[in-house]
Amino acid sequence: MHASARGVIERWKDNPVLTPDDVPYPVETVHNAGAVRCGDEIVLLFRAHRRSGRSILGLARSRDGVTFTVDPEPWLVPTDDPPLAEYERFGVEDPRITPLEGAYWITYSAYSRHGVRIALARTRDFRRVERVGLVSQADMRNVALFPEKIGGRYARLDRPHSGIAPWSIWISFSPDLVHWGDSRRLIAPAPYHWDEMKVGPGAPPIRTPRGWLVIYHGVFETMDGAVYRLGAALLDPEDPTRVVGVADDWILAPEDPWEVTGYVHNVVFTCGAVTEGDDRLRLYWGGADQVICTGTARIDDLVELCLTRPRPALGDPA
Ligand code: BMA
């Protein structure tokens, strides 16, 4: 029997797992968290709006994946040090965490009057953090590093903005994690489909026996504003420039009251997931840009959706 997209993610019964009230410093929101295992903890790096409307990154820790304690101070705030200061002035947003070669690498959006660029930071312990620098020009968002080199190069999924082309998921390569190129488009929004307005990578790609599992967000424009949902795609395990399949249906849509109503209505948006045992994925998502929710799915179910009911990666859906 084929897995059905509806219900493929089992929501945690006590969502949301983090709200602004859980944060010991003033914030309006807590959402869009990168996630990783670090020792016996799950660490979330989340985006939080200050009253000004500008964002900072906060850190929360958990032993069980559902009960979190937030550190007393923000983890990363816009820097005053040049040259990055000029590019982080309006805030830092949407971090993704990738463990790679003994460190945790964090890609985040750096906002300024010059647009949105991606910056890279690294840490070994989530106590000290070192900024590496900017790794894209404007305008770029949603950068997720692969957790291993591919063909001798670092690889990432990214999502350039364009006034001309649809906002698509691309793949790029680098010799050093700083200089990127050889970019190719992988997955485009599908016209008149739930992800027709834009798509963007979510959690860093997850290696499975049948390929790299990509959880992405897709946006649909309505008369009532945009709706953000999550979808799944599979890339070839050896050559991730080849798309194996993009699931036709979404895997998660705003349904719970705190996903439907909040800072921005009708949003589920992910930056992170961790594996649980051999066969499950624990996904974290922002609900309505205001709270953090979690749920789990069988990795095989997600993979099967990509294989059995795919839509064209770059073209019209069936
Ligand atoms: C995107 C980003 C995300 C946010 C989403 C929905 O452009 O700003 O951080 O969750 O919009 O508002």
Side-chain angles (χ1 to χ4, degrees):
M1 213 170 66
H2 293 163
S4 131
R6 286 184 188 280
V8 74
I9 293 184
E10 199 177 315
R11 283 176 162 83
W12 170 238
K13 64 181 172 49
D14 289 328
N15 274 340
V17 291
L18 271 180
T19 76
D21 290 342
D22 301 317
V23 181
Y25 42 87
V27 292
E28 299 295 296
T29 68
V30 45
H31 61 124
N32 299 1
V36 79
R37 287 184 189 280
C38 177
D40 53 7
E41 289 182 329
I42 291 178
V43 169
L44 296 186
L45 278 184
F46 55 79
R47 173 182 179 189
H49 286 88
R50 298 289 210 183
R51 282 214 168 162
S52 61
R54 300 182 183 186
S55 294
I56 53 107
L57 305 185
L59 187 146
R61 304 167 194 276
S62 173
R63 292 281 158 122
D64 60 6
V66 293
T67 319
F68 283 91
T69 308
V70 180
D71 278 11
E73 300 293 333
W75 196 71
L76 195 91
V77 300
T79 180
D80 291 327
D81 298 335
L84 258 165
E86 178 73 11
Y87 296 97
E88 293 189 356
R89 192 84 70 208
F90 292 171
V92 289
E93 305 183 0
D94 295 355
R96 275 84 173 173
I97 311 169
T98 302
L100 185 63
E101 297 176 351
Y104 298 99
W105 300 82
I106 297 121
T107 49
Y108 61 94
S109 301
Y111 257 90
S112 74
R113 65 199 166 97
H114 309 299
V116 54
R117 303 180 65 182
I118 296 298
L120 179 69
R122 76 174 153 223
T123 181
R124 288 189 187 275
D125 51 13
F126 288 98
R127 299 191 193 280
R128 282 177 315 275
V129 56
E130 180 194 350
R131 279 173 164 87
V132 177
L134 291 156
V135 294
S136 85
Q137 291 182 310
D139 278 310
M140 178 76 84
R141 291 185 54 92
N142 305 310
V143 168
L145 299 173
F146 283 74
E148 57 189 75
K149 279 184 166 174
I150 290 164
R153 296 184 295 176
Y154 299 104
R156 76 184 191 190
L157 299 177
D158 50 35
R159 211 291 307 283
H161 296 213
S162 167
I164 300 170
W167 298 8
S168 305
I169 297 173
W170 292 60
I171 189 167
S172 305
F173 296 91
S174 171
D176 58 6
L177 286 169
V178 173
H179 304 89
W180 292 86
D182 197 11
S183 303
R184 299 169 215 189
R185 199 171 63 130
L186 287 185
I187 302 169
Y192 222 82
H193 201 51
W194 65 269
D195 60 0
E196 77 164 352
M197 185 187 165
K198 49 182 174 174
V199 293
I206 298 132
R207 194 184 245 302
T208 78
R210 283 186 285 179
W212 290 100
L213 178 63
V214 176
I215 309 295
Y216 72 96
H217 65 263
V219 188
F220 189 77
E221 189 92 285
T222 76
M223 294 301 284
D224 194 30
V227 180
Y228 278 72
R229 301 187 179 92
L230 301 181
L234 197 67
L235 310 178
D236 185 275
E238 313 311 327
D239 175 13
T241 64
R242 209 177 71 74
V243 180
V244 178
V246 182
D248 189 59
D249 207 352
W250 67 73
I251 58 164
L252 194 80
E255 280 173 15
D256 279 335
W258 45 86
E259 296 165 347
V260 171
T261 308
Y263 196 79
V264 180
H265 297 341
N266 282 316
V267 176
V268 291
F269 190 101
T270 189
C271 292
V274 295
T275 48
E276 268 190 7
D278 289 340
D279 60 344
R280 289 192 86 79
L281 191 68
R282 174 170 290 287
L283 191 66
Y284 293 93
W285 63 90
D289 279 4
Q290 192 161 357
V291 298
I292 295 177
C293 304
T294 187
T296 62
R298 286 188 60 232
I299 291 173
D300 278 353
D301 288 348
L302 296 169
V303 167
E304 200 188 321
L305 281 174
C306 303
L307 295 173
T308 55
R309 290 201 291 143
R311 59 101 157 155
L314 295 175
D316 288 334

